Structure formats: C-alpha cells, structure tokens
Amino acid sequence: GKDLEVRLQVEQPRRITPSANVLARIEGARAPKEVVIVGCHFDAWTFGSGDPQAGTIVLYEIARSLAAAAKAGKRPARTVIFANWGAEEYGIIGSTEWVEAHRAMLSANAVAYINLDMAAMGPNFRSAAAPALKQVIEDASRDVPQARAPETTVHARWTSAGTKPAGFGNLGGGSDHVSFYCHLGVPSCSLGAGGSRGVSYHTAYETLAWYRKIVGDDYEPALMLARVGAALVSRLANAPLLPYDLARPFTDMQEHLADLEGDQAGGKSLLGSLRARCGVTAKAAAELQTRLERHVAAGRLTGPALAQANRLLLASERAWLRKEGLQERPWYRSLYAAPDPFSGYASWMLPYLKHAFETGRVQDRVAAISPYVVALDAHEVLLAGLRTLCAGADDASVSK
C-alpha cells in the first residue's frame, strides 16, 4: 500500500581483479602475417547462458571445425586467431587491452574481426557489418541450411527467397568489435540469430535450463551460425584477393549522408557534392573490382602484384581513420562509424559529421565535411594504385 517504505542498500565493492583473454591460432600456410580474428567474451553478469555463452559455443565449434580441417592438411592461407575475451561486461576491457597491445600488427595485417556475442538466440539469422564485409557474409549464408528448416538456406530465409535485400545492421558499441573497428579501422561484423520466445538478459534466470527451454535444446541455431561463421572465415582466410566489396562503403555512405540531411538531394544541400562524389567513386570502385577479380581468376595477377593488391585493400579500410580522432573522443578514430556518445550502444554513422549536425551550428557542419574529403582523396590514391596493377595485368595478357 501507499504507506509501505523500503530501504535498499546496494553494496558494490570496488577492487582490482585479475582477468584473462584465452586465445588460440591456426598459422596461415601462405600469408601467415595476415590475420582473421574471431571472438566472443566469456565473462557474464550471472550465469550467462545467453550473454555471452550462446556465442562462445559458436566460437568453439568454428575453432574445432577449422582445427580439424588444418589437421587433415587443409590449413588456411592466412592466420586465424580465436579469442575468448575477458572483462567485456566491465567496459570491453579484455579485447581493448589486446588490441592496444598489438596495435601495430593489427593495423598492418588484420583482415577482419568477427564478433559472436550472444549469438545463438533463435533461428532467424542477422548481422551487423562494415560495408566492405556485407557481400562476403551474404555469400557465406548461401551455402548453409536454415536452422530447423534444412530444405532452404540461411540466405533464402534472410531475404525471403530473394524478394528483399539482406538486412544488415550498423555496428555501434557495446561489444568487442569496438576497438577493432572504431579505433583501428579493421572491418568488423557481428553474426547472430534471434527469434526465440523470450529473453532473460543480464538476469539471475539466464541459466542453461532457461536456454534449453526457451531457445531450444536442439542447438540448431548455434550449428547454423557455426556453419555460416566457418564459411565466412574460410573465405576471408583463403581468397587469393581479399573479398572486400570495394564499392559498398561509398554507396552506403550516400545513404548515411542523405539521412543526416533528411534526404535533401541535389547540389543545393550542404552535403550534395559529397554525396555526388561518393557515387562517382562507387562506380569506379565497382568497375575496378570486376577487373581485379577477372585478372586473379585468369592467373594474371599473382605473386608480388597480388600481395600488393591486398596491401592496398587493407589500406583502403584504414583510410577512414582520422589521426586526431572524433570531437571530444580522440580514442575513436573512425570517420565511418562509432558508438553514440550518450548510451554507448547505438551506432553513429559518419560520426564526425553526425556530431556537427547534432550541435546545430552551420559553421561546424561545413567544417566537418573536410575530413571526409581527405578520406575520399586517400581512397582515390589507393584505387589508382589498384588500377595500375590492373594495367600491368592487362599488358601481360596482351603480350601473351
């Protein structure tokens, strides 16, 4: 009743506590310096059957299957690192410390980071991803049977049998991809699946009995995700030419620019010229990717030239970084994506511009365009380098 009073005392002792990351690796056979990282944290608020162990079981199954293939003589071309991160719930500490400790290696050689936090929570596949990885994720999903409906594929269910585009989310904050993607510019993605009958997120009821009753005791969603994840890792680790989508960052950027301005198309809008330039760059990138793939398939782009092409592709993703970082947040260096500064979870796309638009001052908005022009200039230089490699392959073809 109205006269009831409750006195609540919360005790949260603050102390320094050891944590750990658990890592394993399969050394690459042909390009061991280049690395693909797959990770999920293992610490939980309580029992953690959903967050994060529904992802940890997928991580372990991917690691088991790829290790078995390696033992059978099918070692990946690039190195694959499997990471079970500690202290994620306390501020994404384990993965961040590891990324900062290996900053130079990762900046130079990390192909992609795949996150599996709280992954297998139902049969309906979902993914949030950097634009460069969206196509290869789609490709991986085409080869995997749908959980609890093996007569169809993950991709068919995801796209309603091809009647709608594959729905990708944007990476924000709140999990272990943040330091890879938002600090170092390593293209990242999360893989997951939802659609179970309920959640018990961060509660004392997040037990194995709850998981088996609500998500299911068949573990079909976890198997489905392990298959998609293994297929994705295999493509990233074995493709002679890194399977990035060269054009997608620029086509997606056009959409993000439109969102910032409320879709004010045309030269009169503040961001109109930037949007137009993205369109031109996207077209050039798509044409160049077709040429690159054709030359690799024909065996005309090999050896040092192919290695140089991959170095340029890695650099293209890092070209979105701003050394000075974002306004008021210098650790976040990606101009493309960052967590929102309020909740830390939602995604801010084109965050340097987004911050300027949120302040409401026109002069700040105009000034915030400049770093994106610089980034696009850097991409043009890298595309020119790839174009030169293609020209050399063209000459080789003619001489033959």
Side-chain angles (χ1 to χ4, degrees), residues 134-215:
K134 290 179 179 178
Q135 186 59 56
V136 70
I137 294 169
E138 272 203 71
D139 293 342
S141 73
R142 296 176 193 275
D143 297 333
V144 175
Q146 170 63 36
R148 300 171 184 161
E151 68 280 0
T152 188
T153 66
V154 173
H155 188 267
R157 176 67 61 85
W158 188 17
T159 62
S160 297
T163 61
K164 65 179 184 179
F168 284 96
N170 296 314
L171 288 171
S175 196
D176 292 296
H177 64 272
V178 170
S179 54
F180 288 95
Y181 190 39
C182 303
H183 181 58
L184 290 190
V186 176
S188 302
C189 68
S190 69
L191 303 181
S196 59
R197 293 179 292 144
V199 296
S200 60
Y201 180 64
H202 283 187
T203 74
Y205 302 97
E206 200 179 344
T207 64
L208 183 58
W210 174 88
Y211 184 88
R212 287 175 170 167
K213 181 177 181 180
I214 300 301
V215 181

Side-chain angles (χ1 to χ4, degrees), residues 70-398:
K71 288 178 181 178
K74 297 179 181 178
R75 184 174 294 276
R78 300 179 177 91
T79 295
V80 181
I81 296 175
F82 305 97
N84 223 179
W85 308 115
E88 188 269 357
E89 298 291 7
Y90 292 87
I92 320 181
I93 294 171
S95 57
T96 299
E97 291 294 324
W98 188 81
V99 165
E100 291 181 341
H102 298 86
R103 183 183 286 112
M105 181 276 288
L106 294 168
S107 295
N109 300 307
V111 171
Y113 173 68
I114 301 165
N115 201 43
L116 296 165
D117 190 354
M118 200 176 177
M121 297 299 294
N124 303 326
F125 180 77
R126 61 193 179 201
S127 178
L133 297 182
K134 290 179 179 178
Q135 186 59 56
V136 70
I137 294 169
E138 272 203 71
D139 293 342
S141 73
R142 296 176 193 275
D143 297 333
V144 175
Q146 170 63 36
R148 300 171 184 161
E151 68 280 0
T152 188
T153 66
V154 173
H155 188 267
R157 176 67 61 85
W158 188 17
T159 62
S160 297
T163 61
K164 65 179 184 179
F168 284 96
N170 296 314
L171 288 171
S175 196
D176 292 296
H177 64 272
V178 170
S179 54
F180 288 95
Y181 190 39
C182 303
H183 181 58
L184 290 190
V186 176
S188 302
C189 68
S190 69
L191 303 181
S196 59
R197 293 179 292 144
V199 296
S200 60
Y201 180 64
H202 283 187
T203 74
Y205 302 97
E206 200 179 344
T207 64
L208 183 58
W210 174 88
Y211 184 88
R212 287 175 170 167
K213 181 177 181 180
I214 300 301
V215 181
D217 59 4
D218 59 358
Y219 291 91
E220 281 290 316
L223 178 59
M224 175 185 75
L225 285 174
R227 286 169 168 164
V228 173
L232 176 59
V233 172
S234 295
R235 283 165 168 76
L236 290 167
N238 289 304
L241 184 73
L242 290 176
Y244 292 163
D245 189 331
L246 273 176
R248 189 67 178 263
F250 308 106
T251 55
D252 282 12
M253 186 173 173
Q254 286 181 296
E255 296 177 7
H256 300 320
L257 290 169
D259 290 340
L260 279 175
E261 280 201 319
D263 202 19
Q264 297 178 36
K268 291 184 179 180
S269 70
L270 183 63
L271 304 177
S273 60
L274 199 59
R275 289 173 66 183
R277 183 174 178 185
C278 285
V280 172
T281 305
K283 182 179 179 182
E287 293 172 351
L288 182 57
Q289 182 157 6
T290 299
R291 290 177 65 192
L292 284 167
E293 292 173 351
R294 185 173 66 246
H295 285 313
V296 170
R300 293 190 293 266
L301 191 62
T302 59
L306 178 58
Q308 178 61 15
N310 283 330
R311 305 314 294 174
L312 291 171
L313 289 171
L314 285 173
S316 71
E317 286 299 304
R318 311 311 191 254
W320 295 111
L321 297 180
R322 181 175 185 265
K323 183 179 179 181
E324 300 84 359
L326 304 181
Q327 306 96 321
E328 303 174 14
R329 296 192 291 167
W331 187 85
Y332 292 95
R333 300 192 300 153
S334 173
L335 292 169
Y336 208 96
D340 81 276
F342 308 114
S343 73
Y345 278 87
S347 176
W348 264 23
M349 303 309 295
L350 311 183
Y352 200 83
L353 268 171
K354 177 77 170 176
H355 182 278
F357 271 72
E358 290 290 320
T359 65
R361 293 176 293 191
V362 174
Q363 61 269 33
D364 290 340
R365 298 178 184 183
V366 173
I369 294 173
S370 179
Y372 291 91
V373 173
V374 172
L376 289 172
D377 288 344
H379 279 98
E380 291 290 349
V381 172
L382 294 166
L383 291 176
L386 290 169
R387 201 170 288 113
T388 299
L389 292 172
C390 280
D394 289 336
D395 292 340
S397 176
V398 170

